[in-house]
Amino acid sequence: MLHDFAYLDHVCDELGVHLIVDDGFEYHKEADWLISAEVRPIDKLNVEKYRASSHGSSRSTSASGMSLNEKLDKIRSPKLENQRETAIILSAVEDTLREQKHSETPTAYFAALLALLGEAVTPSNGTVNKSLSYSVLYLLNIVIAHVPPAILRSKFFQILTTIAPALRSQDVDAPLLRSSIGCLQLLLVAQDAPAWALPQTQISPRQVIAGLLKLAIDQRPKVRKRAQDAITHVLQHPPPTPSLDHPVADMCAETALKSLSDALAVANANKRKNKDPAQQHHQPGLMHALQLVRTIASASGSWPSKKIEPLCEILMGVSRSNNEYLTTGAFEVFEVMFKGMADQFSSSKLPRLMEAISELKPSQNDSQLLPPWIAVISRGYDVSAQIDPEGTFHKLPELFRTVSEFLSSAAHEIRVSASECLISFLVNCVPESVIAEPSIFDETTLEKLAQLATDLLSVKYQAAWMEVFNVEAAFFEALRWRAVTLARNIITTIGELRASESFNGKKEADVVLGKAIQSMGPEAVLEILPLNLAKSEKGSPGRAWLLPLLRDNVINTNLSHFKSEFVPLSEAMYQRVIDHGESEKTMEVKIFETIVHQTWALFPSYCNLPLDLAPAFDQGFAELLSNLLYSQPELRADICRGLQTLVESNQEILAAEATEQEILLRSRITKATAQTNLDHLATCAGNLLAVLFNVYSQTLPQFRGYILQCINAYLSITKEKELLETFTRVTEMLETALTDTVSQLQAAKQQSKEPKPQQMPPTSHTLMDLIITLSIYLPLPTFVQLFTLTSRILPLTNDPQLQKKAYKLLPRLATSANGSLALRSRNQDLQSLLLSSASTASAPARRDRLLALATTIDHLPPSDLHFIPSVLSEAVIATKEVNEKARTAAFDVLVLMGRKMSEGGTIEQAKIPHMDAAAPMVKANLEEFFTMVSAGLVGETPHMVSASITALTRILYEFHGQLERNAVEDLVSTLTLFLTSNNREIVRSCLGFTKVIIVSLPTELVQPRLETLIPGLLGWSKEHKSRFRTKVKHILERMIRRFGVGEVERWCPEDGKKLVQNIRKTKERKKRRKAEGAGEEGNEEEEGKTARKGRFESEYDEAVYGSGDDEDSDAGSSDDDPTPRSKCGHSRKDGVSGKGTYITELSDDEPLDLLSRNALSHISTSKPVQFKTHSKRKAQVDLDGKLVFGEANGKSIAGADDWDAMAVDSKEEPGDGTLEGGIGAYVEAIRGRDAVQRGRGGRLKFSNKRHRDVDEMEVDEEKVAVGRREKSGRGAFGKGIIRGAERGRGGGRGKGERGGRGGRDGRDGGVKKRFDPKMQRKGLGVQKVRDGRVGKLRGKRG
């Protein structure tokens, strides 16, 4: 309690605001607050010292204001410049409080800040000091939450009159408003019922609410959101009154409703005036009003009852809008209202709301308003079903009839909405109590629903049958087994439609029939739609198409139906197959075999929770299944899956956590019935296991999996006595088989060195599989015999597969409680066994041995930690295994060892093999484990050293966070020295270690090592074997990504900086091309109108002159660039060719039709290769007008506009326009090597062969020189090597901007045309297509 208190006032000097303290006070008993009686100024505070520092002197924090001080601590140390002024104000207030010797309580802060706010605002003229007001209101918003509510109630007038002037300013800013709204929110929450009863005309809480409602539709989004949040908070915290609603809820609803109505009227008026669709969609006022309505509806628990009808009418009018956002907003309001009425307090408003919505039913063909109305009706009755399930269910027939009428509409949207509404009714409005125990009234309602569902399949709704089928499927799901007597007509109608060949909805009909099979059961469905397969009668079509439906949908039905219906069908069909004999199978016989297989494919489905398992699964049926397992191998998979499902489905019921009522409704089977079923199956388990064991031994290994799973299922329910007898019998057989294994293997090797794929494995392998399966169900006394048998098999080196199976036994035992107990109790024996069998372990058994070691270590007691160093070397060496699974197992063992060592304990080194008996005991920890693994670094062979580095890499990655910093530094220093090794195997492991430390270790630990790491890595950057160069580059990329290019280049030697530069340029090139690619995609439509952005004006120039690197990339690419490049100079990885898509058009006048089926054949991600085609053209004449045959230099002689000016003249060239040339052309065409010849039968034959001597010609001396320069690749743009100049294949490999292109007869023309720019452009940028026309390549260039 304070006995003296002073108001505080602190402002900046330039504002002339002073801190004043009062001598006389009045004491307010209720709030423990001191109110000033008279005010007089005292000494000014110089606040410049606070501007120099964002916080003042030390502060004392009281226990009562701990949470407040936590908030103020964030302000005392501002991180942003705009928070500095607030920190200054807070510092001044706190220092003044301490100078006046007042406690820093929330009340003291509040009083001081309120006084400062009064100084910052002048009520007379409305002047507001914005910077000071913002800081004070920001602090006040934080402090007011911790002020006692009694103070806020008693001094409401004084507080409001101090805050209100800041809100009345015409140019008030959004930050100031948000802080003020926060203060008003907490002030309103503290008010009691009498305060809320004051009229709005007075200074009261209602007046504040009116102001907040205006701000809730403000144009500024943050202000609007803050005001809406404040209204929500106030309405959710009403004062203690008998009413359920807040006293101001009606006022808020009325104001929001008026705002929405006015906004809708304005929007409709603008819509009539302005026909622009864009302006019609831009209706912010209406959207803001909708948000306010939704806010009030969600905050006040739905909507006031008196205002429901007008609100629904306005919302339906809003839903008519073409603006999808407004429609969505209207639906959200309905959703919020329904959600608020879901509780029992507000549920009384729901009937009135649904009645109001029903009265607003639109026209039946109103495709714009009817779907929203149907959706609202659907959601409303969903909530109604949660409140009053029985009452809503009894209304369902009338609702169903009303909505189903809309299915006859011509509008597809209306039909879809109506079908979804009907589905919602069936899913949500049919209570489970009606299905479990229906009353007479409930049965009448169900009959009405069934009749309405049947009527939907009439011709009236034929246009909506696809939607009707969805409703029918939901009908069967809702009624479940009650549909047996109600839905016969539905099944009949859909079956007739499905059998019609002209019916197009077979897929949808199958879905409905599948749901009917699930709900009614196969027996009821087949009674209506019989298969008619065994005895087909005239007029009774066969329905074999039902068999797949039955297979996928039968569940929880009578197993006796399978015995009575499908077993005789299978026998009849199989008998017809047998009657056919051994002759070649006809199509009819193949159909009979297929029916047999499809029949038994139903067996697993019938075995899924059968209702009559005990009476149906009798001795006779078990014998039938046994005979089929022996005689028909092709049915074994289905029979074994069915037998397995019988056990597992009942076990799932016993393990279910649901209540008995829920289980009964879901499966019609209780837990007691499931236990009875398992007990019945346990009586048959012994005989079934004997049969399964025999079948397993007669089946090839690749087909045994399902049999073993079935055996495992029945072993889980077999009684212990029978288990022991079975185990004893199998063990005796295995011991006998072990003695015969050696002779069997020797005989097999003599017959064939390579085992045949269809050869049965030895008996010992089969018996060992059965023992492994049996092991987890055996009692503890049998484990002695089990371990003895394992110890006998592990030393066998002549049978690796059997040894492998023996190692599998230990991980299998760890999955059971008895097995884990046995592994702990006999752990020392297992250690001795594994250590003694290390020398005899075969390569195929390596992985399983490692898993056995992991199991033993996992169950290792703390006193036997010496086993870890005993087998550590084996695990380390296994990290270099060729088998990936073995390597993974080795890494897992190392990690498990590390975790075991980190748990603590003592290692008796004297018990480690090959250790001195006087070796001291050491403490187990991670550092000691790393020391053990590091011992392999001094191994004699590089293989051992490499394996040790790999092992250290893995465990360092796993445990680097648990090691001491010094230990990690020593390890890193030691292993990085191996980068200087001359052995590639060691260096390869060391590169992996380097990558791990770069990625996982802290930056401050790795960065000092870069001085030695980077030169060591770059020493192997030119080594191509074992992908060293690629690995080094990848590690350097990781370094650059983490430490930056500058830090990496700092420690690079001169000969290694090129690689770093290449990495940097490659990264920059990727970013640049990515940005250019985004720009090209955005401007794809305008690329013909605007100039290309980049270094080239066209794609052709980029293809010819562009390169895959920057202009200054010579320093970083050349020979040190590890990225392979294509002939055109682009990087294969980063080149443009990897980005684009090419479209080969048929012609300029006929663009490619992308909707055509053949469109994909003209689209390619790589540049299409066009072959030279011969096309028809006009007859060519020479200068004298004579007809000329052939071409000169690939161009027509006369009348050619694109005649090559640099073409070389030769009088001896056929068709050159001279008389000799014309005769020569004629003779060449008749007798030349390309002349037409007649083959067998007088058929014309043409020679398309290319000849090497085509390029031989006489040229001028000057042009010979030009040709020589071109031939040598020394063109105008650099040196190029011309490849394919004779064969016409693609051009030179240039080191300059351009190399040479193709040779004569190729895609780029002959040698004489090589300097023709048109011919170069034609060869590079244009492709010839059919009929000689030029096709374009659209897309990005490679």
Side-chain angles (χ1 to χ4, degrees), residues 769-792:
D769 288 338
L770 297 178
I771 287 180
I772 294 174
T773 308
L774 273 165
S775 60
I776 61 174
Y777 303 107
L778 294 174
L780 279 175
T782 58
F783 285 96
V784 177
Q785 186 178 1
L786 197 62
F787 289 147
T788 303
L789 189 63
T790 305
S791 62
R792 181 179 174 184

PDB file of all heavy atoms in Angstrom, residues 769-792:
ATOM      1  N   ASP A 769      14.240 -72.682 -40.928  1.00  0.00           N
ATOM      2  CA  ASP A 769      13.233 -71.624 -41.083  1.00  0.00           C
ATOM      3  C   ASP A 769      12.077 -71.809 -40.108  1.00  0.00           C
ATOM      4  O   ASP A 769      11.583 -70.844 -39.506  1.00  0.00           O
ATOM      5  CB  ASP A 769      12.707 -71.619 -42.518  1.00  0.00           C
ATOM      6  CG  ASP A 769      13.727 -71.085 -43.503  1.00  0.00           C
ATOM      7  OD1 ASP A 769      14.631 -70.349 -43.074  1.00  0.00           O
ATOM      8  OD2 ASP A 769      13.617 -71.398 -44.704  1.00  0.00           O
ATOM      9  N   LEU A 770      11.637 -73.040 -39.958  1.00  0.00           N
ATOM     10  CA  LEU A 770      10.523 -73.316 -39.049  1.00  0.00           C
ATOM     11  C   LEU A 770      10.914 -73.060 -37.603  1.00  0.00           C
ATOM     12  O   LEU A 770      10.116 -72.549 -36.811  1.00  0.00           O
ATOM     13  CB  LEU A 770      10.055 -74.759 -39.232  1.00  0.00           C
ATOM     14  CG  LEU A 770       9.503 -75.110 -40.619  1.00  0.00           C
ATOM     15  CD1 LEU A 770       9.131 -76.584 -40.684  1.00  0.00           C
ATOM     16  CD2 LEU A 770       8.305 -74.249 -40.958  1.00  0.00           C
ATOM     17  N   ILE A 771      12.143 -73.398 -37.235  1.00  0.00           N
ATOM     18  CA  ILE A 771      12.597 -73.149 -35.854  1.00  0.00           C
ATOM     19  C   ILE A 771      12.677 -71.650 -35.578  1.00  0.00           C
ATOM     20  O   ILE A 771      12.315 -71.180 -34.492  1.00  0.00           O
ATOM     21  CB  ILE A 771      13.938 -73.845 -35.613  1.00  0.00           C
ATOM     22  CG1 ILE A 771      13.718 -75.358 -35.516  1.00  0.00           C
ATOM     23  CG2 ILE A 771      14.621 -73.311 -34.366  1.00  0.00           C
ATOM     24  CD1 ILE A 771      14.966 -76.150 -35.280  1.00  0.00           C
ATOM     25  N   ILE A 772      13.155 -70.883 -36.558  1.00  0.00           N
ATOM     26  CA  ILE A 772      13.213 -69.425 -36.373  1.00  0.00           C
ATOM     27  C   ILE A 772      11.811 -68.859 -36.170  1.00  0.00           C
ATOM     28  O   ILE A 772      11.584 -67.981 -35.325  1.00  0.00           O
ATOM     29  CB  ILE A 772      13.907 -68.775 -37.582  1.00  0.00           C
ATOM     30  CG1 ILE A 772      15.380 -69.191 -37.634  1.00  0.00           C
ATOM     31  CG2 ILE A 772      13.782 -67.260 -37.533  1.00  0.00           C
ATOM     32  CD1 ILE A 772      16.105 -68.719 -38.877  1.00  0.00           C
ATOM     33  N   THR A 773      10.852 -69.358 -36.941  1.00  0.00           N
ATOM     34  CA  THR A 773       9.474 -68.903 -36.778  1.00  0.00           C
ATOM     35  C   THR A 773       8.907 -69.307 -35.428  1.00  0.00           C
ATOM     36  O   THR A 773       8.162 -68.554 -34.785  1.00  0.00           O
ATOM     37  CB  THR A 773       8.609 -69.477 -37.906  1.00  0.00           C
ATOM     38  OG1 THR A 773       9.219 -69.196 -39.169  1.00  0.00           O
ATOM     39  CG2 THR A 773       7.217 -68.879 -37.888  1.00  0.00           C
ATOM     40  N   LEU A 774       9.253 -70.521 -34.963  1.00  0.00           N
ATOM     41  CA  LEU A 774       8.757 -71.024 -33.679  1.00  0.00           C
ATOM     42  C   LEU A 774       9.359 -70.293 -32.485  1.00  0.00           C
ATOM     43  O   LEU A 774       8.743 -70.216 -31.421  1.00  0.00           O
ATOM     44  CB  LEU A 774       9.077 -72.517 -33.555  1.00  0.00           C
ATOM     45  CG  LEU A 774       8.088 -73.526 -34.142  1.00  0.00           C
ATOM     46  CD1 LEU A 774       8.750 -74.891 -34.235  1.00  0.00           C
ATOM     47  CD2 LEU A 774       6.852 -73.605 -33.263  1.00  0.00           C
ATOM     48  N   SER A 775      10.554 -69.754 -32.639  1.00  0.00           N
ATOM     49  CA  SER A 775      11.373 -69.358 -31.495  1.00  0.00           C
ATOM     50  C   SER A 775      10.698 -68.334 -30.583  1.00  0.00           C
ATOM     51  O   SER A 775      10.814 -68.411 -29.359  1.00  0.00           O
ATOM     52  CB  SER A 775      12.714 -68.806 -31.998  1.00  0.00           C
ATOM     53  OG  SER A 775      12.488 -67.682 -32.829  1.00  0.00           O
ATOM     54  N   ILE A 776       9.970 -67.356 -31.151  1.00  0.00           N
ATOM     55  CA  ILE A 776       9.431 -66.289 -30.298  1.00  0.00           C
ATOM     56  C   ILE A 776       8.223 -66.743 -29.488  1.00  0.00           C
ATOM     57  O   ILE A 776       7.780 -66.018 -28.588  1.00  0.00           O
ATOM     58  CB  ILE A 776       9.053 -65.063 -31.153  1.00  0.00           C
ATOM     59  CG1 ILE A 776       7.969 -65.425 -32.172  1.00  0.00           C
ATOM     60  CG2 ILE A 776      10.269 -64.491 -31.843  1.00  0.00           C
ATOM     61  CD1 ILE A 776       7.449 -64.233 -32.942  1.00  0.00           C
ATOM     62  N   TYR A 777       7.680 -67.916 -29.775  1.00  0.00           N
ATOM     63  CA  TYR A 777       6.516 -68.408 -29.034  1.00  0.00           C
ATOM     64  C   TYR A 777       6.889 -69.500 -28.031  1.00  0.00           C
ATOM     65  O   TYR A 777       6.018 -69.998 -27.328  1.00  0.00           O
ATOM     66  CB  TYR A 777       5.474 -68.973 -30.006  1.00  0.00           C
ATOM     67  CG  TYR A 777       5.032 -67.975 -31.047  1.00  0.00           C
ATOM     68  CD1 TYR A 777       5.445 -68.089 -32.365  1.00  0.00           C
ATOM     69  CD2 TYR A 777       4.221 -66.900 -30.703  1.00  0.00           C
ATOM     70  CE1 TYR A 777       5.044 -67.175 -33.320  1.00  0.00           C
ATOM     71  CE2 TYR A 777       3.820 -65.973 -31.650  1.00  0.00           C
ATOM     72  CZ  TYR A 777       4.241 -66.115 -32.968  1.00  0.00           C
ATOM     73  OH  TYR A 777       3.852 -65.201 -33.899  1.00  0.00           O
ATOM     74  N   LEU A 778       8.171 -69.835 -27.944  1.00  0.00           N
ATOM     75  CA  LEU A 778       8.603 -70.934 -27.071  1.00  0.00           C
ATOM     76  C   LEU A 778       8.736 -70.450 -25.635  1.00  0.00           C
ATOM     77  O   LEU A 778       9.071 -69.281 -25.382  1.00  0.00           O
ATOM     78  CB  LEU A 778       9.937 -71.491 -27.551  1.00  0.00           C
ATOM     79  CG  LEU A 778       9.923 -72.182 -28.926  1.00  0.00           C
ATOM     80  CD1 LEU A 778      11.342 -72.557 -29.341  1.00  0.00           C
ATOM     81  CD2 LEU A 778       9.032 -73.411 -28.905  1.00  0.00           C
ATOM     82  N   PRO A 779       8.519 -71.345 -24.660  1.00  0.00           N
ATOM     83  CA  PRO A 779       8.753 -70.986 -23.248  1.00  0.00           C
ATOM     84  C   PRO A 779      10.247 -70.942 -22.941  1.00  0.00           C
ATOM     85  O   PRO A 779      11.090 -71.413 -23.718  1.00  0.00           O
ATOM     86  CB  PRO A 779       8.037 -72.099 -22.484  1.00  0.00           C
ATOM     87  CG  PRO A 779       8.007 -73.249 -23.417  1.00  0.00           C
ATOM     88  CD  PRO A 779       7.916 -72.687 -24.807  1.00  0.00           C
ATOM     89  N   LEU A 780      10.580 -70.369 -21.796  1.00  0.00           N
ATOM     90  CA  LEU A 780      11.990 -70.160 -21.441  1.00  0.00           C
ATOM     91  C   LEU A 780      12.818 -71.448 -21.354  1.00  0.00           C
ATOM     92  O   LEU A 780      13.975 -71.458 -21.773  1.00  0.00           O
ATOM     93  CB  LEU A 780      12.068 -69.410 -20.103  1.00  0.00           C
ATOM     94  CG  LEU A 780      11.866 -67.885 -20.186  1.00  0.00           C
ATOM     95  CD1 LEU A 780      11.843 -67.291 -18.791  1.00  0.00           C
ATOM     96  CD2 LEU A 780      12.971 -67.265 -21.015  1.00  0.00           C
ATOM     97  N   PRO A 781      12.292 -72.557 -20.827  1.00  0.00           N
ATOM     98  CA  PRO A 781      13.151 -73.762 -20.716  1.00  0.00           C
ATOM     99  C   PRO A 781      13.676 -74.284 -22.042  1.00  0.00           C
ATOM    100  O   PRO A 781      14.698 -74.984 -22.063  1.00  0.00           O
ATOM    101  CB  PRO A 781      12.221 -74.781 -20.045  1.00  0.00           C
ATOM    102  CG  PRO A 781      11.215 -73.966 -19.312  1.00  0.00           C
ATOM    103  CD  PRO A 781      11.004 -72.761 -20.150  1.00  0.00           C
ATOM    104  N   THR A 782      13.036 -73.966 -23.134  1.00  0.00           N
ATOM    105  CA  THR A 782      13.477 -74.515 -24.421  1.00  0.00           C
ATOM    106  C   THR A 782      14.638 -73.736 -25.031  1.00  0.00           C
ATOM    107  O   THR A 782      15.242 -74.198 -25.993  1.00  0.00           O
ATOM    108  CB  THR A 782      12.313 -74.488 -25.421  1.00  0.00           C
ATOM    109  OG1 THR A 782      11.857 -73.138 -25.571  1.00  0.00           O
ATOM    110  CG2 THR A 782      11.170 -75.341 -24.932  1.00  0.00           C
ATOM    111  N   PHE A 783      14.988 -72.577 -24.456  1.00  0.00           N
ATOM    112  CA  PHE A 783      16.035 -71.770 -25.064  1.00  0.00           C
ATOM    113  C   PHE A 783      17.415 -72.387 -24.900  1.00  0.00           C
ATOM    114  O   PHE A 783      18.312 -72.104 -25.691  1.00  0.00           O
ATOM    115  CB  PHE A 783      16.007 -70.346 -24.475  1.00  0.00           C
ATOM    116  CG  PHE A 783      14.882 -69.516 -25.002  1.00  0.00           C
ATOM    117  CD1 PHE A 783      13.692 -69.406 -24.311  1.00  0.00           C
ATOM    118  CD2 PHE A 783      14.996 -68.851 -26.201  1.00  0.00           C
ATOM    119  CE1 PHE A 783      12.652 -68.652 -24.789  1.00  0.00           C
ATOM    120  CE2 PHE A 783      13.952 -68.084 -26.700  1.00  0.00           C
ATOM    121  CZ  PHE A 783      12.776 -67.983 -25.988  1.00  0.00           C
ATOM    122  N   VAL A 784      17.591 -73.239 -23.897  1.00  0.00           N
ATOM    123  CA  VAL A 784      18.881 -73.935 -23.743  1.00  0.00           C
ATOM    124  C   VAL A 784      19.118 -74.820 -24.954  1.00  0.00           C
ATOM    125  O   VAL A 784      20.208 -74.827 -25.555  1.00  0.00           O
ATOM    126  CB  VAL A 784      18.886 -74.769 -22.441  1.00  0.00           C
ATOM    127  CG1 VAL A 784      20.184 -75.539 -22.314  1.00  0.00           C
ATOM    128  CG2 VAL A 784      18.667 -73.853 -21.235  1.00  0.00           C
ATOM    129  N   GLN A 785      18.122 -75.595 -25.308  1.00  0.00           N
ATOM    130  CA  GLN A 785      18.236 -76.454 -26.469  1.00  0.00           C
ATOM    131  C   GLN A 785      18.390 -75.630 -27.749  1.00  0.00           C
ATOM    132  O   GLN A 785      19.115 -76.014 -28.671  1.00  0.00           O
ATOM    133  CB  GLN A 785      17.010 -77.352 -26.559  1.00  0.00           C
ATOM    134  CG  GLN A 785      17.081 -78.408 -27.653  1.00  0.00           C
ATOM    135  CD  GLN A 785      15.851 -79.293 -27.650  1.00  0.00           C
ATOM    136  OE1 GLN A 785      14.939 -79.095 -26.841  1.00  0.00           O
ATOM    137  NE2 GLN A 785      15.823 -80.266 -28.557  1.00  0.00           N
ATOM    138  N   LEU A 786      17.725 -74.466 -27.787  1.00  0.00           N
ATOM    139  CA  LEU A 786      17.802 -73.613 -28.971  1.00  0.00           C
ATOM    140  C   LEU A 786      19.209 -73.052 -29.153  1.00  0.00           C
ATOM    141  O   LEU A 786      19.765 -73.060 -30.269  1.00  0.00           O
ATOM    142  CB  LEU A 786      16.793 -72.479 -28.825  1.00  0.00           C
ATOM    143  CG  LEU A 786      16.406 -71.711 -30.094  1.00  0.00           C
ATOM    144  CD1 LEU A 786      15.760 -72.628 -31.097  1.00  0.00           C
ATOM    145  CD2 LEU A 786      15.455 -70.572 -29.741  1.00  0.00           C
ATOM    146  N   PHE A 787      19.826 -72.590 -28.068  1.00  0.00           N
ATOM    147  CA  PHE A 787      21.190 -72.062 -28.163  1.00  0.00           C
ATOM    148  C   PHE A 787      22.194 -73.168 -28.463  1.00  0.00           C
ATOM    149  O   PHE A 787      23.189 -72.941 -29.173  1.00  0.00           O
ATOM    150  CB  PHE A 787      21.565 -71.348 -26.860  1.00  0.00           C
ATOM    151  CG  PHE A 787      20.827 -70.047 -26.674  1.00  0.00           C
ATOM    152  CD1 PHE A 787      20.470 -69.611 -25.406  1.00  0.00           C
ATOM    153  CD2 PHE A 787      20.491 -69.259 -27.741  1.00  0.00           C
ATOM    154  CE1 PHE A 787      19.801 -68.419 -25.226  1.00  0.00           C
ATOM    155  CE2 PHE A 787      19.812 -68.060 -27.571  1.00  0.00           C
ATOM    156  CZ  PHE A 787      19.466 -67.637 -26.306  1.00  0.00           C
ATOM    157  N   THR A 788      21.959 -74.349 -27.940  1.00  0.00           N
ATOM    158  CA  THR A 788      22.851 -75.466 -28.243  1.00  0.00           C
ATOM    159  C   THR A 788      22.813 -75.797 -29.728  1.00  0.00           C
ATOM    160  O   THR A 788      23.853 -76.061 -30.353  1.00  0.00           O
ATOM    161  CB  THR A 788      22.442 -76.698 -27.415  1.00  0.00           C
ATOM    162  OG1 THR A 788      22.465 -76.363 -26.028  1.00  0.00           O
ATOM    163  CG2 THR A 788      23.385 -77.856 -27.674  1.00  0.00           C
ATOM    164  N   LEU A 789      21.625 -75.788 -30.283  1.00  0.00           N
ATOM    165  CA  LEU A 789      21.488 -76.058 -31.716  1.00  0.00           C
ATOM    166  C   LEU A 789      22.179 -74.973 -32.540  1.00  0.00           C
ATOM    167  O   LEU A 789      22.838 -75.276 -33.550  1.00  0.00           O
ATOM    168  CB  LEU A 789      19.998 -76.122 -32.059  1.00  0.00           C
ATOM    169  CG  LEU A 789      19.624 -76.591 -33.462  1.00  0.00           C
ATOM    170  CD1 LEU A 789      20.077 -78.024 -33.681  1.00  0.00           C
ATOM    171  CD2 LEU A 789      18.128 -76.482 -33.665  1.00  0.00           C
ATOM    172  N   THR A 790      22.074 -73.744 -32.095  1.00  0.00           N
ATOM    173  CA  THR A 790      22.735 -72.650 -32.817  1.00  0.00           C
ATOM    174  C   THR A 790      24.242 -72.786 -32.755  1.00  0.00           C
ATOM    175  O   THR A 790      24.950 -72.574 -33.757  1.00  0.00           O
ATOM    176  CB  THR A 790      22.302 -71.302 -32.219  1.00  0.00           C
ATOM    177  OG1 THR A 790      20.878 -71.207 -32.230  1.00  0.00           O
ATOM    178  CG2 THR A 790      22.888 -70.146 -32.993  1.00  0.00           C
ATOM    179  N   SER A 791      24.777 -73.150 -31.591  1.00  0.00           N
ATOM    180  CA  SER A 791      26.225 -73.317 -31.453  1.00  0.00           C
ATOM    181  C   SER A 791      26.752 -74.458 -32.309  1.00  0.00           C
ATOM    182  O   SER A 791      27.928 -74.479 -32.681  1.00  0.00           O
ATOM    183  CB  SER A 791      26.582 -73.569 -29.978  1.00  0.00           C
ATOM    184  OG  SER A 791      25.967 -74.761 -29.522  1.00  0.00           O
ATOM    185  N   ARG A 792      25.904 -75.374 -32.651  1.00  0.00           N
ATOM    186  CA  ARG A 792      26.336 -76.484 -33.509  1.00  0.00           C
ATOM    187  C   ARG A 792      26.359 -76.068 -34.978  1.00  0.00           C
ATOM    188  O   ARG A 792      27.167 -76.578 -35.763  1.00  0.00           O
ATOM    189  CB  ARG A 792      25.388 -77.671 -33.316  1.00  0.00           C
ATOM    190  CG  ARG A 792      25.763 -78.885 -34.139  1.00  0.00           C
ATOM    191  CD  ARG A 792      24.799 -80.014 -33.884  1.00  0.00           C
ATOM    192  NE  ARG A 792      25.080 -81.139 -34.782  1.00  0.00           N
ATOM    193  CZ  ARG A 792      24.356 -82.242 -34.846  1.00  0.00           C
ATOM    194  NH1 ARG A 792      23.284 -82.382 -34.057  1.00  0.00           N
ATOM    195  NH2 ARG A 792      24.671 -83.200 -35.688  1.00  0.00           N
TER     196      ARG A 792
END
